[in-house]
Amino acid sequence: MIDWLKRLGKTLACSASAACLVAAGATSAEAQQRIALVIGNSTYESVSALDNPSRDAELIASTLEQIDFQVTLLIDATQIEMKRALSDFGRNLRNGGADTTGLFYYAGHGVQSFGNNYLLPIDASLSDAADLDLEGVEAQSVLRQMASARNRTNFVILDACRNNPFENMAGFDSPGLAEMKAPTGTFLSYATSPGAVALDGLGQNSPFTTALAREMTKPGVPVEQMFKQVRISVLEQTNGLQTPWDTSSLTNNFTFVNAPQEEPEDLAARQLWESVQATKDPVQIMLFMRGYPNSIYADDARALLAEAIEAEINNEAVVAERPAPAEPPADEQTMFEAVQANPTVDGYREYLDAFPNGTFSEFARGEIEALEAQASVDPVGEGVTTETEETELALAEIDQERSSVPNVVEFNLPLTAPGSVIDGIILSEITNLSPLFPPVEGLPEEYWKDQTCSNCHEWNQERLCNQSNVYLTLSGQKSMEKPHPFGGILKRNLRQWAAGGCQ
């Protein structure tokens, strides 16, 4: 198993178990007063009774109380009781002031006549549609009470679009309720579309109210999105037979329940975890776990790290099963060494023509790409160097750098790098130092500064030599320009060490 996995196993063995952070509970979206009037009429005296409205009203009342509404609940109310409750509701809204939120919910029979909507109390008894003003409660009166309060946010929710109990009586409009015009700052919600009929439901509650009570308590959902989810749910539950409808003149944002507010540390943990999760890099996962061992993402981090470890182990097993590569034939070795002594595009192409699948074929193709890229930047004939000259300059640069560092670079000898953190440090001990900048882009300072690189890396002579030899190729020139946590002087020492045979 590779070295970092061995160290990682030790790290995980002594890491503390994660403590899950559980939300303390939903909080209301507004600190100001919230007032609701909820009415559910089921047991009618002169018209057909309804099974669910009383239970629907009780469900909505209890839901509203959970999210900080002051609720007045009426079950099977007469006309006098409904009108008195509406009057008290309007007075409470006016006393509450401009920031008060008002909500009116009604479940029961509702009808429309002459373009007006009427909510039916349980004692309503009609012999003619003209008696609606005398027997029913005009829905518009709810809006008038809200308008008089001049508060900024109001909701009117009507689950009252059931079958007309007076369908054989002349003077009634189409089934269901008519769409109403509301004062500014009001959200109107109907159990179904204007002129259509809603279902009372086969369960304990109507499909509309069931969805409404569920969606209303979800934290952080804007009210428009919440009612959209109610509509989707009802459509699914009724197989498309019922489409909840709403109109809005709201002028401010509103949510029934606030999204839980994140503490600064929780926010930092979430943002870093999202980045680490996307990379699936074992080293970054380990750094995250060290930084946030008790975050709510700790268990997910451990699971992801276990997957990464298993993938590494499986990959190593596959590599271990592969036979060691055969030594290149002597003629191929001789030809390749000759090309390396005078590296040109033509020379590498001749090598590939002779050995298209040779031991050094991939390396040769990379060198051709690097040489051609260099030639496209510095074309011949414009007063710049040719490919061969560029190669000679690169080799001369290596020779010059050899002479700039007086001491011989060896694996177990101190480096000479005046002014650098690596001055006097042995190559094999470099990873005991702390990096000068974050090894993982975006990693907070506290997780890399003053931390040693041995947390993630452990060099040995062979592994470091392979890396250092890259700097001796033209394709490795670009790598020399990239920043290194210990500065460019380290790369130059590594290149000189490789040039000397990695002694």
Side-chain angles (χ1 to χ4, degrees):
M1 186 182 294
I2 57 178
D3 295 334
W4 74 264
L5 284 174
K6 294 179 181 177
R7 295 195 309 279
L8 186 58
K10 296 177 182 178
T11 301
L12 293 177
C14 61
S15 64
S17 60
C20 295
L21 301 180
V22 180
T27 58
S28 65
E30 303 290 346
Q32 66 268 19
Q33 194 172 12
R34 295 173 155 202
I35 300 172
L37 173 59
V38 178
I39 301 175
N41 289 340
S42 289
T43 310
Y44 285 90
E45 298 173 0
S46 301
V47 298
S48 58
L50 296 170
D51 292 331
N52 287 336
S54 59
R55 293 193 293 262
D56 290 340
E58 290 170 349
L59 174 60
I60 291 299
S62 64
T63 301
L64 291 173
E65 287 174 346
Q66 292 174 29
I67 55 178
D68 298 339
F69 274 85
Q70 300 173 23
V71 180
T72 298
L73 172 64
L74 294 183
I75 300 296
D76 292 335
T78 64
Q79 185 194 52
I80 292 175
E81 290 170 338
M82 288 179 67
K83 288 188 174 182
R84 183 181 293 123
L86 275 173
S87 176
D88 292 341
F89 178 59
R91 182 172 56 255
N92 291 335
L93 288 180
R94 289 187 289 274
N95 292 338
D99 291 333
T100 300
T101 297
L103 186 146
F104 175 81
Y105 171 90
Y106 174 81
H109 276 306
V111 296
Q112 62 167 304
S113 180
F114 300 101
N116 293 327
N117 294 324
Y118 294 88
L119 312 178
L120 298 186
I122 62 167
D123 59 349
S125 179
L126 296 181
S127 58
D128 192 278
D131 294 336
L132 269 174
D133 287 332
L134 304 175
E135 297 287 336
V137 175
E138 189 180 8
Q140 199 69 30
S141 64
V142 179
L143 298 176
R144 284 195 290 271
Q145 291 291 335
M146 291 176 166
S148 71
R150 299 182 186 278
N151 57 316
R152 294 192 183 94
T153 307
N154 288 297
F155 296 90
V156 176
I157 304 172
L158 302 176
D159 194 355
C161 312
R162 296 168 170 86
N163 290 330
N164 182 1
F166 310 110
E167 58 185 354
N168 295 323
M169 189 179 296
F172 285 94
D173 297 338
S174 59
L177 298 181
E179 189 169 5
M180 299 185 294
K181 292 183 179 180
T184 301
T186 305
F187 192 100
L188 287 171
S189 174
Y190 308 86
T192 192
S193 53
V197 176
L199 303 177
D200 195 34
L202 300 176
Q204 291 293 308
N205 299 102
S206 75
F208 174 75
T209 294
T210 299
L212 178 64
R214 181 181 64 249
E215 297 297 331
M216 191 178 283
T217 58
K218 291 183 177 179
V221 182
V223 66
E224 294 84 359
Q225 182 65 33
M226 188 211 80
F227 277 99
K228 183 185 293 184
Q229 289 303 121
V230 170
R231 181 158 49 249
I232 292 171
S233 178
V234 173
L235 281 167
E236 292 176 351
Q237 291 298 313
T238 63
N239 294 318
L241 296 177
Q242 181 176 332
T243 305
W245 201 264
D246 53 65
T247 59
S248 174
S249 61
L250 292 180
T251 57
N252 62 302
N253 297 326
F254 186 89
T255 56
F256 281 100
V257 179
N258 261 340
Q261 292 187 351
E262 290 182 297
E263 295 295 329
E265 183 176 355
D266 296 334
L267 176 61
R270 177 174 61 81
Q271 291 175 337
L272 182 58
W273 171 242
E274 289 173 354
S275 173
V276 169
Q277 189 178 29
T279 66
K280 297 183 179 180
D281 179 3
V283 173
Q284 294 192 44
I285 298 171
M286 183 185 67
L287 290 172
F288 171 83
M289 292 174 62
R290 288 188 172 184
Y292 298 99
N294 297 319
S295 78
I296 60 175
Y297 310 105
D299 287 342
D300 290 339
R302 285 187 175 86
L304 188 62
L305 186 58
E307 292 178 9
I309 292 174
E310 184 177 0
E312 287 286 346
I313 293 173
N314 292 338
N315 183 61
E316 288 177 0
V318 171
V319 172
E321 292 173 0
R322 294 174 184 167
E327 291 292 327
D331 54 344
E332 179 187 352
Q333 182 75 39
T334 301
M335 185 175 186
F336 182 74
E337 290 176 355
V339 176
Q340 277 196 305
N342 182 26
T344 64
V345 171
D346 290 340
Y348 281 117
R349 282 178 177 162
E350 289 178 7
Y351 164 79
L352 288 174
D353 288 341
F355 304 98
N357 298 313
T359 303
F360 311 105
S361 58
E362 289 302 318
F363 179 88
R365 292 186 181 93
E367 290 295 280
I368 290 173
E369 183 178 348
L371 289 168
E372 288 179 337
Q374 184 65 44
S376 65
V377 175
D378 299 329
V380 179
E382 297 186 9
V384 294
T385 57
T386 64
E387 296 173 8
T388 302
E389 291 170 337
E390 184 68 30
T391 301
E392 292 173 351
L393 287 174
L395 295 174
E397 181 184 349
I398 294 174
D399 291 338
Q400 183 178 1
E401 286 177 358
R402 286 176 180 172
S403 60
S404 68
V405 183
N407 292 345
V408 175
V409 179
E410 292 188 8
F411 190 67
N412 291 310
L413 289 181
L415 296 173
T416 301
S420 171
V421 294
I422 67 169
D423 188 38
I425 301 295
I426 297 173
L427 269 180
S428 58
E429 297 179 350
I430 286 291
T431 55
N432 292 328
L433 300 178
S434 298
L436 302 178
F437 57 82
V440 178
E441 186 176 356
L443 193 68
E445 260 192 14
E446 57 266 30
Y447 304 122
W448 63 268
K449 201 166 187 179
D450 300 326
Q451 303 292 326
T452 66
C453 293
S454 60
N455 289 335
C456 305
H457 300 287
E458 184 175 336
W459 285 342
N460 58 40
Q461 188 166 356
E462 180 183 1
R463 186 180 305 162
L464 188 58
C465 182
N466 291 337
Q467 176 61 41
S468 301
N469 272 294
V470 174
Y471 302 142
L472 291 177
T473 68
L474 288 180
S475 56
Q477 296 301 307
K478 291 183 179 180
S479 297
M480 292 292 294
E481 299 170 1
K482 294 179 181 179
H484 189 279
F486 297 129
I489 186 66
L490 175 61
K491 288 187 177 182
R492 291 193 291 274
N493 271 273
L494 290 175
R495 186 163 69 173
Q496 183 173 340
W497 178 57
C502 298
Q503 299 299 314

